[in-house]
Amino acid sequence: MSSPRTELANAIRALSMDAVQKANSGHPGAPMGMADIAEVLWNDYLRHNPANAEWPNRDRFVLSNGHGSMLLYSLLHLSGYDLPMDELRNFRQLHSKTPGHPEYGYTPGIETTTGPLGQGLSNAVGMALAEKILASQFNRPGHQVIDHYTYTFLGDGCLMEGISHETCSLAGTLGLGKLIAFYDDNGISIDGEVEGWFTDDTPARFIAYGWQVISDVNGHSPSQVKAAIEAARHESGKPTLICCKTVIGKGAPNKEGSESCHGAPLGGDEVAATRAALGWDHAPFEIPADVYAGWDAREKGASAEQAWDQVMIAYGEAYPELASELRRRLAGELPAEFSEQAAAYITRCQEEGESVASRKASQNCLNAYGPLLPELLGGSADLAGSNLTVWSGSQGVTAGNASGNYIYYGVREFGMAAIVNGIALHGGFINYGATFLIFMEYARNAVRMAALMRQQSIFVFTHDSIGLGEDGPTHQPVEQLTALRSTPNMHTWRPCDTVESAVSWKSAIERRDGPSSLVFSRQGLPHQQRDAAQVDGIARGAYVLKDTDGAADAILIATGSEVHLAVAAAEQLAGAGRQVRVVSMPCAEVFEAQDAAYRESVLPSDVLARVAVEALHADWWYKYVGLDGRVVGMTSFGESAPAGDLFTEFGFTVDNIVSVVEEVLL
């Protein structure tokens, strides 16, 4: 007869193997191996409320080894979340709430989308960092209003991914004492026993990062797991890694401990044998009432949230302004005056007409918007002086003082982007991370995950074209904007001057349904003259910057540092009797979301002679110029030379643009 705790863990094993078997697809090994750890954590420590998955002070739980998703779905179902058994029966099926990997927004209780290994762990670092910063900014003696843990499960694969080094190193440096990670040390990955390709001394590695490490915990011993969690919670100055020795597929008599149960159904015979070995005498997807009762967290969760509500009431009485500000930020509401004051700043930019690099214009925006936004939290991957992301009110976040608003990420582009996502998921901040556009490639998968989860992650990318010059093609982006623009849910802004830069920042700050990439130049850009209607048009993604006196013979479309070239070319063509409209398109995704009438007013369908100008990859632009149009763009990598020489070499000159328009008009 198994113990009560084992019986509760066996419910996870049974649901996981049954769901994978019914779907004929999935990963039963990790859920079955980590069931005992999960049972102790969720029933004895995890503070959460199944009736309100968005309770701000809940503990966060992240399944970084997201292929073991049935572990998480089982936990949510058993503990009382709105995830009925029919959804578990529908595992991995179209439109179910139980997709193959956990996806944020599908099911209450899913804190982040995981599956790309190492990123869940990195999101958890971001969540723990957000908790520490928010607590430092708002907690007062006797009023611990922000006080929760972040727990994450991870496997060998997460630790093999390089991103785990980036983010765990930073977590140790910043002293994230409320981050507790459980390493499922089962020695198995898809290809078999990891001894052939993963022999790291993981405890020594994490000790070197500045973590507390608890080694050699029997992951199937509830008492050992509980003792480890107690020790982890007792250490407030360091994150903790609990190394749990487990057996993958625990309970499957012929497949446990083998890669054969990692990513495939056990098979009907093995499922039956597992039931017998576990003493689980229940039909598929059948959970006894006493097991449900043992897992039910609804009453305990409601009580925990109610207790926090009382803490908030007392906090509001003692610190009414702080309490009001905290509630606003946790609700994701902007300060009431932000939109009006940001619009006034945009107007000032147009009136002042300053000509600077758009990266400098971006910093000017931060200096204007930052004082209006206490929730603004920035950072750069060791390029603050080049990205110009430090503003006058920036204060660095450190292990000893986390009350600041700027994170020095170090040379960790991928880790930075995943941490930015974790901070966004946690709530309470509008946060951005910055690097050169070319190094978006290092961060690419986390940038994609921000879009997949529709998070308000803001990515600042500077040095945006061959215009960065002498550093050469290793640092000159060509194809990166195409990748960003091809990413669903992403808004990619490439402004041409201070005014468009101010609009792009305002848009990113006000957007709540997805990420924004703000792409800025190294080199100086001239100010463009506009009337009020044109300024308003910037926020619509594209607008007519320079129009013709009569019907247009051709349309020039440009972005960023090439807009002023297009304007000069149109003026030169006008002298030759050619009527050429110039359209600035700082954000194609926003433009495409406009109504058909507006899009037609900017790019009339009867004007077929079109030329796009952008010092990045050419092919993307054919969607706007048509196959008979032309693109003055890049079709190769750049070269190492001063920016002016490169623009001449690759045809980004007024004379060449004029020649191309003339060719189109022949």
Side-chain angles (χ1 to χ4, degrees), residues 579-595:
Q579 298 292 309
V580 179
R581 168 180 286 191
V582 177
V583 170
S584 177
M585 188 179 288
C587 186
E589 299 84 12
V590 170
F591 175 66
E592 289 171 1
Q594 305 303 308
D595 60 78

Side-chain angles (χ1 to χ4, degrees), residues 411-467:
V411 186
R412 299 180 175 98
E413 295 89 355
F414 191 6
M416 174 185 69
I419 290 172
V420 164
N421 291 345
I423 292 170
L425 287 157
H426 180 279
F429 298 96
I430 294 173
N431 85 123
Y432 63 89
T435 186
F436 290 171
L437 179 57
I438 191 68
F439 300 132
M440 185 278 290
E441 296 294 352
Y442 282 153
R444 170 66 181 148
N445 199 261
V447 171
R448 180 179 186 271
M449 295 296 282
L452 183 63
M453 294 188 285
R454 294 183 176 272
Q455 288 303 294
Q456 190 190 22
S457 298
I458 300 175
F459 302 106
V460 177
F461 298 120
T462 69
H463 296 60
D464 69 344
S465 73
I466 59 170

Side-chain angles (χ1 to χ4, degrees), residues 421-592:
N421 291 345
I423 292 170
L425 287 157
H426 180 279
F429 298 96
I430 294 173
N431 85 123
Y432 63 89
T435 186
F436 290 171
L437 179 57
I438 191 68
F439 300 132
M440 185 278 290
E441 296 294 352
Y442 282 153
R444 170 66 181 148
N445 199 261
V447 171
R448 180 179 186 271
M449 295 296 282
L452 183 63
M453 294 188 285
R454 294 183 176 272
Q455 288 303 294
Q456 190 190 22
S457 298
I458 300 175
F459 302 106
V460 177
F461 298 120
T462 69
H463 296 60
D464 69 344
S465 73
I466 59 170
L468 74 87
E470 291 88 342
D471 278 340
T474 61
H475 284 56
Q476 292 167 5
V478 172
E479 70 274 27
Q480 285 65 40
L481 271 191
T482 298
L484 288 170
R485 288 167 172 158
S486 300
T487 303
N489 305 329
M490 177 64 72
H491 285 182
T492 302
W493 290 84
R494 187 174 186 245
C496 76
D497 65 1
T498 59
V499 184
E500 289 190 0
S501 297
V503 173
S504 69
W505 263 111
K506 180 174 183 287
S507 173
I509 289 166
E510 292 181 337
R511 186 182 187 206
R512 305 299 300 172
D513 62 350
S516 299
S517 291
L518 308 182
V519 180
F520 299 117
S521 72
R522 174 181 183 268
Q523 71 273 28
L525 304 180
H527 171 73
Q528 299 298 319
Q529 292 298 322
R530 304 173 183 83
D531 59 27
Q534 288 172 311
V535 172
D536 289 343
I538 299 170
R540 304 188 77 169
Y543 63 103
V544 179
L545 177 61
K546 179 178 175 55
D547 211 354
T548 57
D549 294 331
D553 298 318
I555 298 174
L556 272 168
I557 310 169
T559 76
S561 54
E562 289 68 68
V563 167
H564 76 280
L565 298 175
V567 170
E571 291 172 349
Q572 186 169 317
L573 285 159
R578 298 293 196 182
Q579 298 292 309
V580 179
R581 168 180 286 191
V582 177
V583 170
S584 177
M585 188 179 288
C587 186
E589 299 84 12
V590 170
F591 175 66
E592 289 171 1

Side-chain angles (χ1 to χ4, degrees), residues 42-289:
W42 277 60
N43 283 324
D44 291 4
Y45 294 98
L46 193 73
R47 189 170 54 169
H48 62 118
N49 184 5
N52 181 12
E54 300 301 318
W55 170 36
N57 204 44
R58 68 192 181 278
D59 290 337
R60 271 58 169 183
F61 176 78
V62 174
L63 184 69
S64 188
N65 45 344
H67 54 271
S69 57
M70 269 309 304
L71 172 65
L72 184 49
Y73 299 144
S74 299
L75 290 165
L76 295 173
H77 170 77
L78 291 167
S79 60
Y81 284 80
D82 182 19
L83 188 64
M85 186 65 83
D86 282 348
E87 293 292 346
L88 273 63
R89 291 191 181 96
N90 209 25
F91 178 54
R92 287 187 160 226
Q93 305 309 301
L94 185 63
H95 302 313
S96 75
K97 291 184 177 181
T98 51
H101 291 81
E103 293 189 36
Y104 178 83
Y106 273 65
T107 305
I110 303 292
E111 299 286 0
T112 181
T113 299
T114 58
L117 294 176
Q119 283 199 66
L121 167 62
S122 303
N123 294 160
V125 171
M127 294 173 189
L129 180 55
E131 190 274 345
K132 181 168 184 170
I133 298 171
L134 206 61
S136 297
Q137 292 177 351
F138 284 96
N139 287 355
R140 294 295 182 271
H143 299 275
Q144 301 298 303
V145 290
I146 301 297
D147 182 17
H148 67 77
Y149 285 88
T150 301
Y151 300 99
T152 181
F153 282 8
L154 57 125
D156 293 296
C158 291
L159 294 181
M160 283 186 258
E161 290 286 359
I163 191 174
S164 70
H165 165 79
E166 295 184 24
T167 55
C168 292
S169 168
L170 187 60
T173 297
L174 294 177
L176 302 184
K178 289 186 177 176
L179 173 64
I180 300 175
F182 296 81
Y183 167 32
D184 182 28
D185 185 9
N186 60 32
I188 297 293
S189 65
I190 292 176
D191 283 348
E193 296 182 7
V194 300
E195 291 177 349
W197 49 88
F198 185 55
T199 58
D200 298 12
D201 186 341
T202 296
R205 170 185 164 190
F206 275 77
I207 289 170
Y209 291 154
W211 287 52
Q212 172 182 227
V213 176
I214 303 172
S215 300
D216 297 319
V217 174
N218 181 348
H220 304 300
S221 168
S223 62
Q224 288 194 32
V225 172
K226 188 164 186 174
I229 296 173
E230 289 288 342
R233 288 165 62 95
H234 184 72
E235 173 54 74
S236 61
K238 298 178 179 181
T240 296
L241 180 71
I242 301 175
C243 301
C244 298
K245 290 291 185 180
T246 63
V247 177
I248 190 171
K250 175 72 172 176
N254 302 302
K255 293 191 175 184
E256 67 176 16
S258 165
E259 69 273 14
S260 63
C261 65
H262 171 87
L266 297 180
D269 291 343
E270 187 70 3
V271 167
T274 303
R275 275 187 155 72
L278 296 176
W280 186 260
D281 299 324
H282 312 289
F285 301 104
E286 180 183 304
I287 303 295

Side-chain angles (χ1 to χ4, degrees), residues 185-403:
D185 185 9
N186 60 32
I188 297 293
S189 65
I190 292 176
D191 283 348
E193 296 182 7
V194 300
E195 291 177 349
W197 49 88
F198 185 55
T199 58
D200 298 12
D201 186 341
T202 296
R205 170 185 164 190
F206 275 77
I207 289 170
Y209 291 154
W211 287 52
Q212 172 182 227
V213 176
I214 303 172
S215 300
D216 297 319
V217 174
N218 181 348
H220 304 300
S221 168
S223 62
Q224 288 194 32
V225 172
K226 188 164 186 174
I229 296 173
E230 289 288 342
R233 288 165 62 95
H234 184 72
E235 173 54 74
S236 61
K238 298 178 179 181
T240 296
L241 180 71
I242 301 175
C243 301
C244 298
K245 290 291 185 180
T246 63
V247 177
I248 190 171
K250 175 72 172 176
N254 302 302
K255 293 191 175 184
E256 67 176 16
S258 165
E259 69 273 14
S260 63
C261 65
H262 171 87
L266 297 180
D269 291 343
E270 187 70 3
V271 167
T274 303
R275 275 187 155 72
L278 296 176
W280 186 260
D281 299 324
H282 312 289
F285 301 104
E286 180 183 304
I287 303 295
D290 62 328
V291 173
Y292 270 128
W295 274 106
D296 194 343
R298 287 171 290 191
E299 182 177 345
K300 184 168 62 174
S303 177
E305 184 172 356
Q306 289 166 8
W308 182 75
D309 288 341
Q310 294 303 307
V311 170
M312 282 296 292
I313 290 171
Y315 182 63
E317 293 171 351
Y319 302 97
E321 292 184 3
L322 277 175
S324 177
E325 176 68 6
L326 177 59
R327 291 187 185 279
R328 177 189 71 78
R329 286 175 56 172
L330 291 175
E333 298 172 355
L334 287 172
E337 70 278 7
F338 174 76
S339 182
E340 180 180 347
Q341 293 193 28
Y345 173 70
I346 292 167
T347 299
R348 289 200 304 275
C349 287
Q350 184 61 44
E351 292 171 349
E352 292 169 0
E354 187 178 13
S355 295
V356 295
S358 57
R359 63 171 173 158
K360 179 59 179 175
S362 169
Q363 186 179 50
N364 293 344
C365 291
L366 291 171
N367 280 311
Y369 297 159
L372 308 175
L373 297 168
E375 61 265 51
L376 191 64
L377 178 63
S380 174
D382 202 51
L383 288 168
S386 294
N387 298 147
L388 301 185
T389 45
V390 172
W391 57 284
S392 60
S394 293
Q395 176 187 339
V397 172
T398 66
N401 181 3
S403 63

